[in-house]
Amino acid sequence: MLDRKDAVAVIGGGPAGLTAALALAQAGVATVLIGRRAPGVDHRTTALLGSSVTALETLGVWRNCVEYAAPLKIMRIVDDTGRLLRAPEVKFDPAEIGLDTFGYNIENQHLLGALTHSARSLPTLRIVKAEVEGLECRDELVEIRLAGADSLKASLVIGADGRRSLCRAAAGIETHQRAYPQSALTMTFGHARPHHGISTEFHTASGPFTQVPLVGNRSSLVWVIDPADVNEIASRDDQTLAADIERRLHSILGKVWVEPGRGVFPLATVTARSYAENRIALVGEAAHVIPPIGAQGLNLGLRDAATIAELVAQAIRHNRDPGDANLLSRYDEMRRADLASRAAAVDLLNRSLLSDFLPLQGVRGLGVYALDRVGPLRRAAMREGTSPHAQPSLMRGHAI
């Protein structure tokens, strides 16, 4: 029996869980990280916006990421719906708000590698590579049952165990779910022409078709498709699929060739009705899932991790219970406002692409036109996207 009590147990070894564990351990909080990395290579990529990069720099992780990260120097939106009411092309330049880049795009395998390396180098962070079989929430602690009859106890559990979260179920937290009539196909591809750090999001009648730069003449792709078509498209041979991607890119990157690893998943929003209850706080996809539009998903998860870590570190310094109901209520309040505004914006944009209702198409076009022509509005949108107004300390470059 391990049978030991820690101040905090983080369950889940993805980026959000690793970030929470690193932040807590560096702040001197007795922390255990429980989880195993999934087998195989993760071919997905993540666009880390400015404040997320700042957090990783503050934790000392970014120096092991930077050689694998491609700067996002320009972001373009192109209306490729072919409809009567079309929006103008919009180009966002970070120089307008005094920045060199909006952030960086990095393959998940390199991001996870850098986070894991930092976690292993911290003597204050205990790592347990085990499967969690169950959790029992009690008045003073949470008992975590591991495979093999071992158990751990913690004053607070941070659940970073994904959209099918065991932690969320143990806390008795229900979810609100909404499915979209869309699926996403993800992959990476090479191309003959340089991307010059430009990411282009083509708005199509089925959803966004988004190219995001990677290091070298490579990019990642998120292609939102009708579910009736996605499996057939995903199963095409490399040459056929590459030709289709080049056509949909209007050949802006020249000849295209696809790389190994294709992912397909249905689009939906999943929102926990509470982010924290019964000594369990949820971060990342355990708390919220939103469509991969506007690079919000993992950036929201990292803000979750930084926020709960800061609240817990402050509580420990003042000899307060890190699993206290008031602390958990405060965390829920702080994160819910951030998610609500971004999820609503993503939902509105996505629904406007799917709708054949002309007034709604007109509203979308007018909104994009305003972003293109109204400088203060465009700059405000860029600032809020890269560095939201209300941010935890890590996102502002301060250790907790």
Side-chain angles (χ1 to χ4, degrees):
M1 290 283 289
L2 295 174
D3 197 25
R4 161 180 165 170
K5 182 178 178 182
D6 293 88
V8 181
V10 180
I11 297 178
L18 282 161
T19 299
L22 281 169
L24 287 163
Q26 289 188 13
V29 177
T31 306
V32 58
L33 174 65
I34 307 168
R36 296 179 184 272
R37 283 186 63 174
V41 177
D42 188 344
H43 292 283
R44 295 173 298 173
T45 68
T46 295
L48 295 167
L49 300 179
S51 58
S52 295
V53 174
T54 299
L56 295 175
E57 288 175 335
T58 307
L59 292 172
V61 174
W62 188 247
R63 59 176 174 263
N64 293 320
C65 295
V66 66
E67 68 176 296
Y68 306 107
L72 304 177
K73 297 180 179 179
I74 296 289
M75 300 183 79
R76 299 168 63 217
I77 296 177
V78 177
D79 189 329
D80 202 22
T81 60
R83 289 172 173 158
L84 177 64
L85 298 178
R86 297 175 62 184
E89 178 180 328
V90 181
K91 184 181 292 186
F92 299 96
D93 186 337
E96 286 193 62
I97 54 173
L99 299 176
D100 295 326
T101 69
F102 286 113
Y104 293 81
N105 195 34
I106 185 171
E107 290 166 277
N108 283 11
Q109 59 177 316
H110 298 308
L111 175 60
L112 283 168
L115 285 163
T116 301
H117 174 78
S118 294
R120 288 173 177 165
S121 67
L122 268 181
T124 52
L125 176 59
R126 191 161 63 101
I127 300 175
V128 176
K129 296 180 180 179
E131 297 292 333
V132 175
E133 292 191 336
L135 301 94
E136 183 178 348
C137 302
R138 302 176 183 171
D139 290 342
E140 302 297 329
L141 56 84
V142 180
E143 182 172 357
I144 306 158
R145 298 189 305 277
L146 306 178
D150 286 334
S151 68
L152 295 169
K153 299 179 179 69
S155 297
L156 172 70
V157 167
I158 296 177
D161 52 343
R163 63 181 67 191
R164 297 179 180 85
S165 172
L166 188 64
C167 295
R168 188 178 63 226
I173 299 173
E174 296 182 350
T175 61
H176 173 73
Q177 302 188 34
R178 176 191 294 161
Y180 291 97
Q182 297 164 292
S183 293
L185 171 62
T186 61
M187 70 185 78
T188 57
F189 64 95
H191 38 82
R193 296 175 185 165
H195 48 57
H196 300 296
I198 300 172
S199 175
T200 303
E201 183 171 283
F202 293 91
H203 288 178
T204 77
S206 64
F209 179 93
T210 307
Q211 164 267 330
V212 189
L214 286 170
V215 171
N217 280 10
R218 301 171 64 235
S219 292
S220 60
L221 177 68
V222 179
W223 182 356
V224 178
I225 309 171
D226 188 310
D229 301 326
V230 68
N231 289 328
E232 186 276 324
I233 294 173
S235 63
R236 290 174 183 171
D237 64 79
D238 288 355
Q239 185 175 1
T240 302
L241 185 58
D244 201 4
I245 292 170
E246 181 181 340
R247 178 178 61 83
R248 291 175 182 273
L249 287 170
H250 299 274
S251 297
I252 60 173
L253 297 174
K255 183 177 174 58
V256 164
W257 53 93
V258 298
E259 298 183 357
R262 305 175 191 180
V264 173
F265 55 92
L267 261 60
T269 59
V270 181
T271 307
R273 296 192 182 275
S274 171
Y275 280 9
E277 285 185 20
N278 298 319
R279 294 188 173 272
I280 294 177
L282 305 176
V283 302
E285 291 196 339
H288 47 74
V289 176
I290 64 174
I293 298 170
Q296 294 301 314
L298 181 56
N299 290 282
L300 282 166
L302 296 185
R303 287 204 291 280
D304 297 339
T307 300
I308 190 62
E310 183 172 342
L311 290 172
V312 168
Q314 290 172 353
I316 295 288
R317 292 190 187 110
H318 291 89
N319 295 315
R320 295 198 301 266
D321 180 357
D324 176 73
N326 291 329
L327 183 150
L328 298 185
S329 177
R330 175 64 176 151
Y331 170 68
D332 178 78
E333 177 186 351
M334 292 172 70
R335 294 305 305 136
R336 191 160 296 280
D338 186 17
L339 173 68
S341 61
R342 290 165 202 284
V346 168
D347 179 70
L348 179 61
L349 172 61
N350 195 34
R351 287 179 179 276
S352 72
L353 290 174
L354 294 174
S355 177
D356 289 324
F357 186 49
L358 281 176
L360 184 56
Q361 294 177 22
V363 169
R364 179 179 66 86
L366 182 61
V368 175
Y369 178 84
L371 286 173
D372 181 46
R373 296 304 178 100
V374 183
L377 177 62
R378 184 175 59 255
R379 290 188 285 274
M382 287 191 284
R383 289 191 186 96
E384 187 63 20
T386 56
S387 299
H389 177 68
Q391 294 202 80
S393 294
L394 280 178
M395 267 62 187
R396 292 182 280 112
H398 306 301
I400 61 174

